[in-house]
Amino acid sequence: MEADVEGLIGASRHERSAERLNYRNGYRERSLDTRLGSLQLRIPKLRQGSYFPPFLEPRKTAEKALVTVIQEAWIGGISTRRVAGDGPQWHLKEPGFQAVQGHR
């Protein structure tokens, strides 16, 4: 992330440069949940504009797709029992009632 931000700004941290386009403005603390546990990230902030690490986008897109599938299944009237029956072919565990009802 540091290298990405340095490329966007045009200078490294604390460097004075005529090519500098922007300045840093601290960090945002974010949590990234993985299968191996939770990681605490320090995402650099910029004074003008914003920076979001590109490796966090796919996770957000995948989560949106999963929520959409659950919503469509619920609207289509697919029961948790049916998903439990078909779940192994989708590599899914049996969803609980709260998981399906919570994504209206």
Side-chain angles (χ1 to χ4, degrees):
M1 288 187 287
E2 295 292 331
D4 285 346
V5 170
E6 287 176 7
L8 286 172
I9 291 175
S12 62
R13 227 174 142 185
H14 306 294
E15 177 186 351
R16 302 232 182 251
S17 171
E19 292 84 32
R20 180 180 285 276
L21 302 172
N22 202 345
Y23 292 89
R24 293 172 173 262
N25 194 21
Y27 293 90
R28 288 188 318 246
E29 302 290 330
R30 291 289 184 260
S31 174
L32 174 64
D33 296 323
T34 68
R35 288 184 234 167
L36 301 175
S38 184
L39 298 172
Q40 297 302 320
L41 301 177
R42 294 181 65 206
I43 300 174
K45 291 188 335 186
L46 304 176
R47 284 194 187 168
Q48 296 175 340
S50 63
Y51 167 75
F52 191 77
F55 65 87
L56 291 179
E57 278 301 317
R59 178 181 71 118
K60 195 173 188 180
T61 304
E63 185 177 336
K64 282 183 185 179
L66 179 60
V67 169
T68 301
V69 167
I70 291 171
Q71 288 173 338
E72 288 176 4
W74 186 79
I75 290 169
I78 297 175
S79 69
T80 56
R81 282 186 214 107
R82 181 168 171 204
V83 172
D86 294 342
Q89 80 182 30
W90 299 332
H91 305 287
L92 298 174
K93 295 180 181 176
E94 182 175 348
F97 177 76
Q98 294 296 332
V100 175
Q101 294 296 322
H103 291 286
R104 289 187 185 181

